[in-house]
Amino acid sequence: LLWQQLAEAQTLTTSFGIVRHTEGELLELLGTPVETLPRILLYANGDEDPIVYSGIVTFEAISSYLEESVSGGEVCMDLRNRLDLALISQEAARDECDKVLKAAEAAAGERERAHGEEVRGLRDVIASLKKQLRDACAGAGEELRGVRMDTERKFAEAAAINEGLKQQLHAERAATRQAVQEAVIRIEADHRLERSEWEERLQGSQEIEEQLAASEKVVKSCERAVLRAASAVHVTLVRSARENERM
Protein backbone atom coordinates (compact mmCIF):
# COMPACT_ATOMS: atom_id res chain seq x y z
CA LEU A 1 0.00 0.00 0.00
CA LEU A 2 2.88 2.41 0.78
CA TRP A 3 4.48 1.82 -2.64
CA GLN A 4 1.13 2.32 -4.40
CA GLN A 5 0.66 5.65 -2.62
CA LEU A 6 4.20 6.72 -3.52
CA ALA A 7 3.77 5.66 -7.15
CA GLU A 8 0.54 7.66 -7.44
CA ALA A 9 2.06 10.73 -5.76
CA GLN A 10 5.35 10.69 -7.72
CA THR A 11 4.11 9.33 -11.07
CA LEU A 12 5.33 12.40 -13.03
CA THR A 13 8.97 12.12 -11.88
CA THR A 14 9.62 8.59 -10.61
CA SER A 15 8.96 5.02 -11.74
CA PHE A 16 8.59 2.31 -9.12
CA GLY A 17 9.28 -1.41 -9.17
CA ILE A 18 9.01 -4.09 -6.48
CA VAL A 19 11.40 -7.06 -6.28
CA ARG A 20 10.21 -9.76 -3.89
CA HIS A 21 12.38 -12.02 -1.77
CA THR A 22 11.48 -15.01 -4.00
CA GLU A 23 13.13 -13.42 -7.07
CA GLY A 24 16.64 -14.66 -6.31
CA GLU A 25 18.22 -14.07 -9.72
CA LEU A 26 17.01 -10.48 -9.89
CA LEU A 27 18.17 -9.82 -6.32
CA GLU A 28 21.60 -11.21 -7.20
CA LEU A 29 21.71 -9.00 -10.31
CA LEU A 30 20.92 -5.97 -8.13
CA GLY A 31 23.56 -7.02 -5.57
CA THR A 32 20.97 -7.19 -2.80
CA PRO A 33 21.07 -10.28 -0.53
CA VAL A 34 17.75 -11.48 0.88
CA GLU A 35 18.86 -10.78 4.45
CA THR A 36 19.18 -7.04 3.68
CA LEU A 37 15.51 -6.71 2.71
CA PRO A 38 13.49 -4.55 2.87
CA ARG A 39 15.78 -2.22 0.91
CA ILE A 40 15.05 0.85 -1.21
CA LEU A 41 17.31 1.50 -4.23
CA LEU A 42 17.13 4.72 -6.26
CA TYR A 43 18.48 4.88 -9.82
CA ALA A 44 18.95 8.52 -10.79
CA ASN A 45 19.02 9.63 -14.46
CA GLY A 46 19.69 6.16 -15.82
CA ASP A 47 22.77 5.49 -13.67
CA GLU A 48 23.75 1.83 -13.30
CA ASP A 49 24.86 2.20 -9.68
CA PRO A 50 21.93 2.76 -7.34
CA ILE A 51 21.70 5.02 -4.31
CA VAL A 52 20.56 3.16 -1.20
CA TYR A 53 17.88 5.03 0.73
CA SER A 54 18.77 4.95 4.41
CA GLY A 55 16.09 7.20 5.87
CA ILE A 56 12.86 6.54 7.71
CA VAL A 57 10.43 4.32 5.79
CA THR A 58 7.33 6.52 5.82
CA PHE A 59 5.28 8.08 3.03
CA GLU A 60 6.23 11.64 4.01
CA ALA A 61 9.97 10.90 4.40
CA ILE A 62 10.32 8.98 1.11
CA SER A 63 8.17 11.50 -0.83
CA SER A 64 10.28 14.39 0.47
CA TYR A 65 13.47 12.51 -0.41
CA LEU A 66 12.31 11.80 -3.97
CA GLU A 67 11.16 15.40 -4.56
CA GLU A 68 14.46 16.84 -3.31
CA SER A 69 16.41 14.28 -5.35
CA VAL A 70 14.60 15.26 -8.57
CA SER A 71 14.97 19.01 -7.97
CA GLY A 72 18.48 19.02 -6.48
CA GLY A 73 20.23 16.16 -8.29
CA GLU A 74 23.10 14.09 -6.92
CA VAL A 75 24.36 16.84 -4.59
CA CYS A 76 20.98 17.07 -2.89
CA MET A 77 20.69 13.28 -2.71
CA ASP A 78 24.09 13.01 -1.04
CA LEU A 79 23.27 15.74 1.48
CA ARG A 80 19.86 14.23 2.15
CA ASN A 81 21.46 10.83 2.79
CA ARG A 82 23.85 12.44 5.25
CA LEU A 83 20.93 14.20 6.93
CA ASP A 84 18.95 10.94 7.16
CA LEU A 85 21.98 9.12 8.58
CA ALA A 86 22.38 11.86 11.18
CA LEU A 87 18.70 11.60 12.11
CA ILE A 88 18.93 7.81 12.33
CA SER A 89 22.05 8.10 14.46
CA GLN A 90 20.25 10.54 16.71
CA GLU A 91 17.23 8.24 17.01
CA ALA A 92 19.50 5.24 17.66
CA ALA A 93 21.35 7.17 20.36
CA ARG A 94 18.09 8.14 22.00
CA ASP A 95 16.80 4.58 21.83
CA GLU A 96 20.02 3.24 23.26
CA CYS A 97 19.99 5.81 26.03
CA ASP A 98 16.34 5.08 26.75
CA LYS A 99 17.13 1.37 26.97
CA VAL A 100 20.06 2.00 29.29
CA LEU A 101 17.97 4.44 31.32
CA LYS A 102 15.09 1.99 31.65
CA ALA A 103 17.45 -0.83 32.54
CA ALA A 104 19.17 1.36 35.09
CA GLU A 105 15.87 2.50 36.57
CA ALA A 106 14.66 -1.09 36.74
CA ALA A 107 17.87 -2.19 38.43
CA ALA A 108 17.65 0.78 40.76
CA GLY A 109 14.10 -0.07 41.74
CA GLU A 110 15.06 -3.68 42.42
CA ARG A 111 18.04 -2.76 44.52
CA GLU A 112 16.24 0.04 46.31
CA ARG A 113 14.13 -2.51 48.06
CA ALA A 114 17.21 -4.34 49.29
CA HIS A 115 20.05 -1.86 49.49
CA GLY A 116 19.45 1.82 50.15
CA GLU A 117 23.06 2.80 49.57
CA GLU A 118 23.19 1.05 46.23
CA VAL A 119 19.97 2.80 45.28
CA ARG A 120 21.55 6.19 45.90
CA GLY A 121 24.54 5.13 43.80
CA LEU A 122 22.29 3.98 41.02
CA ARG A 123 20.45 7.28 41.14
CA ASP A 124 23.75 9.01 40.59
CA VAL A 125 24.38 6.68 37.66
CA ILE A 126 20.94 7.51 36.29
CA ALA A 127 21.65 11.22 36.61
CA SER A 128 24.93 10.74 34.79
CA LEU A 129 23.23 8.76 32.05
CA LYS A 130 20.60 11.45 31.69
CA LYS A 131 23.32 14.03 31.37
CA GLN A 132 25.07 11.88 28.76
CA LEU A 133 21.76 11.56 26.93
CA ARG A 134 21.29 15.32 26.92
CA ASP A 135 24.87 15.82 25.74
CA ALA A 136 24.45 13.20 23.01
CA CYS A 137 21.20 14.78 21.84
CA ALA A 138 22.80 18.23 21.89
CA GLY A 139 25.76 16.91 19.85
CA ALA A 140 23.40 15.29 17.35
CA GLY A 141 21.48 18.55 17.12
CA GLU A 142 24.67 20.47 16.37
CA GLU A 143 25.60 17.93 13.70
CA LEU A 144 22.10 18.20 12.23
CA ARG A 145 22.30 21.99 12.12
CA GLY A 146 25.69 21.70 10.44
CA VAL A 147 24.29 19.35 7.82
CA ARG A 148 21.36 21.70 7.22
CA MET A 149 23.66 24.69 6.83
CA ASP A 150 25.86 22.70 4.45
CA THR A 151 22.75 21.69 2.50
CA GLU A 152 21.58 25.29 2.21
CA ARG A 153 25.03 26.38 1.08
CA LYS A 154 25.13 23.63 -1.55
CA PHE A 155 21.69 24.65 -2.78
CA ALA A 156 22.81 28.29 -3.05
CA GLU A 157 25.94 27.27 -4.99
CA ALA A 158 23.86 25.08 -7.30
CA ALA A 159 21.42 27.96 -7.89
CA ALA A 160 24.32 30.32 -8.71
CA ILE A 161 25.81 27.78 -11.14
CA ASN A 162 22.40 27.29 -12.74
CA GLU A 163 21.96 31.05 -13.16
CA GLY A 164 25.42 31.34 -14.71
CA LEU A 165 24.64 28.54 -17.15
CA LYS A 166 21.37 30.24 -18.09
CA GLN A 167 23.16 33.51 -18.82
CA GLN A 168 25.82 31.70 -20.84
CA LEU A 169 23.12 29.88 -22.80
CA HIS A 170 21.32 33.16 -23.56
CA ALA A 171 24.59 34.71 -24.73
CA GLU A 172 25.39 31.73 -26.96
CA ARG A 173 21.87 31.79 -28.41
CA ALA A 174 22.17 35.51 -29.18
CA ALA A 175 25.59 35.00 -30.81
CA THR A 176 24.28 32.08 -32.85
CA ARG A 177 21.23 34.09 -33.94
CA GLN A 178 23.50 37.00 -34.97
CA ALA A 179 25.81 34.66 -36.90
CA VAL A 180 22.86 33.08 -38.70
CA GLN A 181 21.46 36.49 -39.63
CA GLU A 182 24.84 37.62 -40.96
CA ALA A 183 25.21 34.39 -42.93
CA VAL A 184 21.73 34.86 -44.43
CA ILE A 185 22.60 38.44 -45.41
CA ARG A 186 25.86 37.27 -47.08
CA ILE A 187 24.07 34.47 -48.91
CA GLU A 188 21.36 36.86 -50.13
CA ALA A 189 24.00 39.35 -51.29
CA ASP A 190 25.92 36.59 -53.12
CA HIS A 191 22.67 35.39 -54.67
CA ARG A 192 21.80 38.90 -55.89
CA LEU A 193 25.31 39.31 -57.32
CA GLU A 194 25.15 35.96 -59.10
CA ARG A 195 21.68 36.76 -60.44
CA SER A 196 22.89 40.15 -61.69
CA GLU A 197 25.87 38.51 -63.43
CA TRP A 198 23.59 35.85 -64.89
CA GLU A 199 21.21 38.48 -66.19
CA GLU A 200 24.12 40.42 -67.74
CA ARG A 201 25.36 37.25 -69.43
CA LEU A 202 21.86 36.45 -70.64
CA GLN A 203 21.50 39.95 -72.05
CA GLY A 204 24.90 39.67 -73.79
CA SER A 205 23.90 36.30 -75.23
CA GLN A 206 20.68 37.78 -76.56
CA GLU A 207 22.60 40.66 -78.17
CA ILE A 208 25.03 38.20 -79.78
CA GLU A 209 22.11 36.14 -81.11
CA GLU A 210 20.55 39.30 -82.53
CA GLN A 211 23.87 40.26 -84.18
CA LEU A 212 24.18 36.72 -85.62
CA ALA A 213 20.65 36.92 -86.95
CA ALA A 214 21.42 40.30 -88.57
CA SER A 215 24.66 38.89 -90.05
CA GLU A 216 22.75 35.93 -91.47
CA LYS A 217 20.30 38.33 -93.12
CA VAL A 218 23.19 40.31 -94.61
CA VAL A 219 24.85 37.11 -95.86
CA LYS A 220 21.61 35.93 -97.45
CA SER A 221 21.16 39.36 -99.11
CA CYS A 222 24.72 39.15 -100.44
CA GLU A 223 24.11 35.64 -101.73
CA ARG A 224 20.97 36.78 -103.56
CA ALA A 225 22.84 39.78 -105.03
CA VAL A 226 25.69 37.53 -106.19
CA LEU A 227 23.20 35.13 -107.76
CA ARG A 228 21.47 38.00 -109.59
CA ALA A 229 24.83 39.37 -110.79
CA ALA A 230 25.95 35.92 -111.95
CA SER A 231 22.66 35.46 -113.78
CA ALA A 232 23.04 38.84 -115.44
CA VAL A 233 26.62 38.02 -116.51
CA HIS A 234 25.46 34.67 -117.90
CA VAL A 235 22.74 36.32 -119.89
CA THR A 236 25.21 38.88 -121.22
CA LEU A 237 27.68 36.19 -122.24
CA VAL A 238 24.96 34.17 -123.95
CA ARG A 239 23.81 37.21 -125.92
CA SER A 240 27.37 38.09 -126.84
CA ALA A 241 27.99 34.55 -128.07
CA ARG A 242 24.83 34.59 -130.20
CA GLU A 243 25.79 37.93 -131.77
CA ASN A 244 29.24 36.58 -132.60
CA GLU A 245 27.67 33.56 -134.30
CA ARG A 246 25.48 35.79 -136.41
CA MET A 247 28.44 37.75 -137.64
Side-chain angles (χ1 to χ4, degrees), residues 60-109:
E60 291 77 13
I62 298 176
S63 293
S64 176
Y65 181 83
L66 292 175
E67 291 171 358
E68 293 179 4
S69 299
V70 171
S71 62
E74 295 182 0
V75 174
C76 179
M77 294 167 67
D78 178 64
L79 295 175
R80 182 56 186 266
N81 282 335
R82 291 171 58 188
L83 178 60
D84 289 339
L85 289 174
L87 290 173
I88 291 173
S89 298
Q90 183 180 8
E91 291 295 330
R94 287 179 177 175
D95 292 341
E96 186 65 22
C97 291
D98 288 339
K99 291 178 181 179
V100 174
L101 181 58
K102 289 178 181 178
E105 288 177 345

Side-chain angles (χ1 to χ4, degrees), residues 27-195:
L27 289 174
E28 183 177 358
L29 180 62
L30 295 175
T32 303
V34 176
E35 55 269 21
T36 63
L37 298 178
R39 197 177 193 189
I40 302 174
L41 303 179
L42 176 63
Y43 291 83
N45 300 323
D47 292 342
E48 295 182 0
D49 297 326
I51 297 173
V52 181
Y53 174 73
S54 57
I56 302 172
V57 183
T58 62
F59 176 82
E60 291 77 13
I62 298 176
S63 293
S64 176
Y65 181 83
L66 292 175
E67 291 171 358
E68 293 179 4
S69 299
V70 171
S71 62
E74 295 182 0
V75 174
C76 179
M77 294 167 67
D78 178 64
L79 295 175
R80 182 56 186 266
N81 282 335
R82 291 171 58 188
L83 178 60
D84 289 339
L85 289 174
L87 290 173
I88 291 173
S89 298
Q90 183 180 8
E91 291 295 330
R94 287 179 177 175
D95 292 341
E96 186 65 22
C97 291
D98 288 339
K99 291 178 181 179
V100 174
L101 181 58
K102 289 178 181 178
E105 288 177 345
E110 186 68 25
R111 291 189 178 185
E112 185 177 4
R113 289 187 294 267
H115 307 285
E117 292 296 331
E118 292 181 4
V119 169
R120 285 191 294 271
L122 288 174
R123 286 177 178 173
D124 293 338
V125 172
I126 292 172
S128 177
L129 289 174
K130 287 182 178 180
K131 183 178 182 301
Q132 292 178 13
L133 176 60
R134 289 193 297 269
D135 294 341
C137 292
E142 290 294 332
E143 183 178 358
L144 182 59
R145 282 192 292 273
V147 171
R148 287 178 177 173
M149 292 178 62
D150 192 20
T151 302
E152 293 175 355
R153 182 176 59 82
K154 292 292 185 180
F155 271 125
E157 293 176 356
I161 293 173
N162 186 34
E163 184 64 25
L165 291 175
K166 286 183 179 179
Q167 294 178 0
Q168 183 179 358
L169 179 59
H170 290 326
E172 291 178 355
R173 285 179 177 175
T176 302
R177 189 180 298 110
Q178 181 66 24
V180 169
Q181 291 176 353
E182 293 177 355
V184 169
I185 292 173
R186 288 196 300 271
I187 292 172
E188 291 178 349
D190 293 341
H191 178 71
R192 286 194 297 269
L193 179 61
E194 291 178 356
R195 184 175 182 83

Side-chain angles (χ1 to χ4, degrees), residues 192-237:
R192 286 194 297 269
L193 179 61
E194 291 178 356
R195 184 175 182 83
S196 176
E197 293 177 352
W198 179 81
E199 290 177 351
E200 290 178 358
R201 292 175 183 174
L202 179 61
Q203 183 178 359
S205 176
Q206 291 176 350
E207 292 176 356
I208 292 172
E209 289 179 355
E210 292 175 356
Q211 292 176 2
L212 288 174
S215 299
E216 288 179 355
K217 290 180 180 179
V218 172
V219 170
K220 288 180 179 180
S221 298
C222 292
E223 289 178 349
R224 288 194 295 269
V226 170
L227 289 175
R228 287 195 297 269
S231 177
V233 171
H234 178 71
V235 170
T236 302
L237 292 174

